[in-house]
Amino acid sequence: MQQLFAKNMKYFYENIPSFYELIKNIKTRRFQIINENGFNIYDTQTKNYFYPVENSKHLMQEVSELYANNPMKNDLWYKYFLTKDLPYYDEEILPITSKICNKIIDYTKTTTDYTEDYYFEKDFLHTTTIFGIGAGLHIEYLTQKYDFQSLFIYEPEPEFFAISCYFVDWARIYDSLGDKFYLFIRGNIDTKVLKQFYDSKTISSNFLRLEFTTYESPKIENAKKEFHLANISNKRGWGSFEDESVGFKNHLKNINKDVPILYKTTKTKAPICVIANGASLENEIEWIKENKDNMIIISVGTSIRPLARAGIEADFHIEIERMPILVDILRPNLETFNGYFVGASVIDSEHFKIAKKPLMFVRDASSTTGISNYFLRYCSPMVGNTGFSFASHFSDEVYMVGFDVGFKKNKRVHASGSFYDDKDDKEEGYPVKGNLSDDIYSNDLLNLSRQNIEMTIHILKPKKVYNLSDGAYIHGAIPTYSKNIKLSKIDKDKYIKEIVSSFKKDNIKILDYSGFLKLYKDKIIELLDKTPKNRKELTDIIDLVNDYTLAFLQYEPAVGTLMKGSIWHILNAIYISIYKTNVKEYPKMLEIVKNYIEEYKIEQK
């Protein structure tokens, strides 16, 4: 035990100094290791043992073996399947992507070994999350027996971590698992790390997550919630070649015309109020009216309608959606709107014809990102994210209204008087921390929007962000009641002109992207063209393609974004299919991809 503790401390000293210092500086000793007729941990405060005691025998070893026994069939472990069935796609909406995915699924269901259930490898575990270490002996047993797609461990109590160094060979785990291993000690689980993980393992982490709770505590419960939110958000925003192609064609049609395009951002000294269409917008209409001369007002998406209904006209209105139906939705408001209409280059060109004062910008996370001299960052996944990013680029004092990114149970999600009035506007979700009140719920899309707003605040660092919305809490934004905000009158025309001066008519050079597309498709086939012996090897192949696609996004954003979503869907179909049949069927599935991937073509005329 002492030798193992010394080995771990040496490893931490040389590789993770923060862990070494944490253990060295533990002052109190609440927990004691018991080594009398078996191991245990004794809590000197509660006078209780951490592990059971039976007939004077301490059962830490026996219980730890039980914890670590076959997680896939162990009722002490929760199994979260994110995709329970093989999803068929609509071939009218996604003609190429659906054809490939659906043919893979059809083939899978004709194979001899097809099952409605799943096959799993005996010595390989999917994304595994362990909350609480205790003595950690079950972790030692698990890591000796299994390989992992990834392993996450969270322990809020430093003393337990210190104790585990006598029972767990952390040095061996780090060396054997490398970047597949994540250990969080003390504090809160780092959500930025979770997002980076899911970005890098999008497909292989989208199937199944295993969860084990060693003991309960408020911090552990909060960490489990954060992991759950990050987990389900991973399913959003994949997109497809077909969807992205619409925006790509719109972009080519819209740019280099008479509409000024955003080419820089500079902070003004005016406060900016950015207004989304959450249900709580209704509560702030009077406050907005009272302060319309004291701040620059930016409306986004469908919030333009309830504002117009209340007699409020924003100074800027932002849109990013490429769907043609948006033209008809906005037309009545845009025709009478006297403020500046700021549209992403991917939207239908009709918007710019209708608007009295059209401006344009190139957004990130789209196939147009690389086809520009400047693009606006942090625009995904919703237009509210775009509006908040725009405001944060132009001001250090931002007020958020209607940014609920959540909803009250059995209540409408959006403000009344908007596009959603005649629709079923109630959602199912899960409880999250509220901003101004309790009983707030969220779903995967709204949660992803919240996470990305938090990232925007963290990166752009506006000095003051006030959240007036009665929805989910947004870390980095100050929960504020509008009745407590008193703003002074500003010279609005001056500051609006400063913002408008950041737009100019520009000439954006258009390349021939067909060569980049061929390069990407050829490399994807090359990476996939292997014969995995088991599902662990398949996981490694899938993750490698994931890594290459992310790297290609940096090399050539237009083609990378055009292809990424469809490749994700195709890989997902292959990955889950192999868990429903024999891994030997993989070459036949790859043959389907080879036969149809050439149908992805870029039309630039």
Side-chain angles (χ1 to χ4, degrees):
M1 287 176 59
Q2 290 294 341
Q3 287 182 337
L4 181 55
F5 183 86
K7 176 185 177 183
N8 283 322
M9 290 297 283
K10 182 176 184 292
Y11 181 86
F12 293 144
Y13 179 80
E14 293 175 348
N15 298 280
I16 316 176
S18 60
F19 283 177
Y20 174 83
E21 293 296 328
L22 179 66
I23 295 172
K24 189 181 75 168
N25 293 323
I26 294 176
K27 303 300 181 185
T28 59
R29 293 291 187 271
R30 173 179 172 179
F31 301 103
Q32 295 178 354
I33 298 175
I34 301 298
N35 186 11
E36 298 172 1
N37 198 19
F39 285 105
N40 212 328
I41 298 176
Y42 180 66
D43 187 334
T44 61
Q45 286 187 11
T46 65
K47 311 300 182 186
N48 293 322
Y49 290 104
F50 189 88
Y51 296 94
V53 180
E54 189 176 283
N55 298 325
S56 300
K57 177 175 175 58
H58 294 281
L59 301 179
M60 184 178 92
Q61 184 171 342
E62 290 80 356
V63 168
S64 298
E65 289 174 349
L66 177 64
Y67 291 169
N69 181 47
N70 196 356
M72 287 304 303
K73 295 184 178 180
N74 190 330
D75 289 339
L76 295 172
W77 288 74
Y78 285 97
K79 294 92 182 172
Y80 293 100
F81 286 92
L82 272 78
T83 309
K84 292 184 178 180
D85 301 302
L86 286 167
Y88 279 98
Y89 294 87
D90 189 324
E91 295 196 12
E92 288 188 10
I93 297 175
L94 306 175
I96 307 172
T97 305
S98 294
K99 183 190 298 183
I100 297 173
C101 292
N102 294 348
K103 285 184 179 296
I104 290 169
I105 295 168
D106 286 339
Y107 172 75
T108 301
K109 292 184 176 181
T110 66
T111 57
T112 304
D113 294 322
Y114 175 75
T115 176
E116 293 291 341
D117 199 6
Y118 300 107
Y119 297 101
F120 293 101
E121 306 294 333
K122 292 182 179 180
D123 58 353
F124 177 67
L125 296 180
H126 275 265
T127 306
T128 303
T129 50
I130 298 176
F131 296 95
I133 290 175
L137 195 56
H138 58 305
I139 295 170
E140 180 67 12
Y141 293 153
L142 279 167
T143 54
Q144 287 180 3
K145 186 175 181 180
Y146 295 99
D147 198 356
F148 298 83
Q149 184 264 4
S150 57
L151 174 60
F152 287 80
I153 299 174
Y154 171 69
E155 175 55 72
E157 176 51 64
E159 265 198 82
F160 281 140
F161 178 49
I163 288 171
S164 75
C165 291
Y166 291 98
F167 300 99
V168 181
D169 192 341
W170 294 113
R172 175 187 60 79
I173 294 173
Y174 269 105
D175 288 342
S176 62
L177 291 180
D179 61 3
K180 297 179 182 179
F181 180 51
Y182 303 80
L183 179 59
F184 302 93
I185 306 297
R186 200 172 63 174
N188 297 316
I189 206 160
D190 190 337
T191 56
K192 292 191 291 294
V193 172
L194 296 189
K195 188 176 187 314
Q196 290 169 356
F197 163 73
Y198 278 112
D199 285 346
S200 65
K201 301 273 193 282
T202 306
I203 308 307
S204 61
S205 66
N206 189 55
F207 172 44
L208 167 66
R209 180 170 67 86
L210 296 164
E211 178 179 293
F212 182 81
T213 306
T214 307
Y215 68 96
E216 299 285 356
S217 80
K219 286 187 176 181
I220 282 179
E221 193 58 34
N222 183 65
K224 288 163 69 173
K225 184 183 295 185
E226 289 290 353
F227 217 108
H228 176 70
L229 293 177
N231 203 172
I232 62 173
S233 294
N234 181 50
K235 291 180 69 68
R236 300 296 309 204
W238 287 11
S240 69
F241 179 88
E242 291 85 344
D243 286 344
E244 288 293 342
S245 292
V246 173
F248 187 83
K249 292 174 184 176
N250 285 344
H251 172 85
L252 298 181
K253 187 176 181 180
N254 288 330
I255 62 171
N256 297 337
K257 298 296 191 296
D258 293 329
V259 180
I261 195 164
L262 184 69
Y263 75 100
K264 67 174 183 177
T265 56
T266 306
K267 292 284 178 77
T268 69
K269 293 182 179 179
I272 293 181
C273 178
V274 57
I275 303 171
N277 196 28
S280 71
L281 165 58
E282 297 172 42
N283 305 333
E284 308 304 335
I285 292 294
E286 290 306 313
W287 178 82
I288 297 170
K289 285 183 178 179
E290 292 169 6
N291 288 278
K292 62 185 179 63
D293 295 327
N294 307 332
M295 59 191 184
I296 292 173
I297 299 175
I298 297 174
S299 61
V300 301
T302 52
S303 67
I304 191 173
R305 190 179 289 183
L307 289 176
R309 183 177 170 182
I312 299 170
E313 187 168 76
D315 303 301
F316 296 88
H317 179 74
I318 296 178
E319 290 293 348
I320 65 170
E321 294 295 341
R322 54 191 169 231
M323 55 184 182
I325 192 176
L326 187 64
V327 175
D328 296 327
I329 294 170
L330 287 178
R331 186 184 297 273
N333 296 107
L334 267 189
E335 287 178 340
T336 59
F337 181 65
N338 294 304
Y340 288 91
F341 173 79
V342 187
S345 62
V346 295
I347 68 175
D348 194 292
S349 59
E350 191 67 17
H351 293 94
F352 299 109
K353 297 175 184 176
I354 300 170
K356 295 179 181 179
K357 299 177 183 177
L359 299 172
M360 192 187 302
F361 70 97
V362 176
R363 56 162 296 186
D364 70 345
S366 79
S367 54
T368 63
T369 301
I371 317 175
S372 175
N373 303 326
Y374 184 89
F375 60 89
L376 189 69
R377 299 177 183 273
Y378 320 120
C379 294
S380 297
M382 301 168 71
V383 67
N385 293 83
T386 307
F388 180 77
S389 173
F390 189 88
S392 299
H393 273 90
F394 281 104
S395 178
D396 271 327
E397 185 177 341
V398 180
Y399 294 86
M400 306 171 71
V401 173
F403 274 80
D404 296 359
V405 288
F407 47 88
K408 292 182 180 292
K409 198 167 188 177
N410 299 320
K411 301 291 185 181
R412 294 181 64 82
V413 177
H414 298 90
S416 60
S418 71
F419 170 69
Y420 299 91
D421 279 4
D422 59 350
K423 295 175 169 42
D424 181 6
D425 195 34
K426 295 180 181 178
E427 295 273 357
E428 293 294 326
Y430 40 81
V432 294
K433 181 179 178 180
N435 187 54
L436 298 178
S437 63
D438 297 324
D439 195 33
I440 301 297
Y441 291 77
S442 187
N443 58 31
D444 48 358
L445 177 59
L446 293 173
N447 182 65
L448 179 59
S449 176
R450 174 190 64 84
Q451 290 177 328
N452 287 356
I453 290 171
E454 292 175 345
M455 179 183 69
T456 306
I457 294 172
H458 175 73
I459 295 174
L460 296 183
K461 293 181 170 54
K463 293 176 182 176
K464 296 177 182 178
V465 178
Y466 300 97
N467 188 2
L468 285 61
S469 315
D470 190 8
Y473 174 77
I474 298 173
H475 184 74
I478 304 167
T480 309
Y481 290 97
S482 58
K483 64 183 180 182
N484 298 326
I485 299 173
K486 306 296 180 185
L487 295 176
S488 301
K489 192 170 181 179
I490 62 170
D491 185 349
K492 282 189 68 166
D493 289 341
K494 171 188 172 185
Y495 294 121
I496 289 172
K497 287 178 181 177
E498 286 183 6
I499 294 175
V500 173
S501 69
S502 296
F503 295 79
K504 69 175 182 179
K505 295 178 182 178
D506 202 0
N507 185 33
I508 296 175
K509 185 178 180 181
I510 304 301
L511 303 175
D512 180 358
Y513 290 93
S514 56
F516 293 115
L517 180 60
K518 184 179 187 307
L519 174 65
Y520 175 80
K521 291 188 295 187
D522 289 349
K523 186 63 178 182
I524 289 299
I525 294 300
E526 177 188 330
L527 294 174
L528 289 172
D529 204 0
K530 297 176 174 62
T531 306
K533 299 185 184 67
N534 50 48
R535 293 172 184 85
K536 177 190 177 300
E537 288 190 8
L538 175 63
T539 300
D540 292 338
I541 292 171
I542 296 291
D543 286 344
L544 183 61
V545 176
N546 196 131
D547 289 342
Y548 175 75
T549 299
L550 294 178
F552 200 90
L553 271 169
Q554 300 299 316
Y555 168 68
E556 180 35 63
V559 171
T561 308
L562 277 167
M563 288 300 299
K564 176 177 72 72
S566 287
I567 290 298
W568 276 192
H569 291 301
I570 293 167
L571 294 179
N572 195 52
I574 292 174
Y575 197 57
I576 297 173
S577 292
I578 291 298
Y579 278 86
K580 287 182 169 292
T581 190
N582 196 303
V583 70
K584 293 179 181 178
E585 305 293 350
Y586 173 76
K588 292 290 183 66
M589 297 178 191
L590 179 58
E591 200 61 35
I592 293 171
V593 180
K594 290 179 180 178
N595 288 341
Y596 294 102
I597 196 170
E598 289 307 317
E599 293 189 16
Y600 289 114
K601 296 177 182 178
I602 294 176
E603 298 178 16
Q604 294 189 209
K605 294 183 180 179

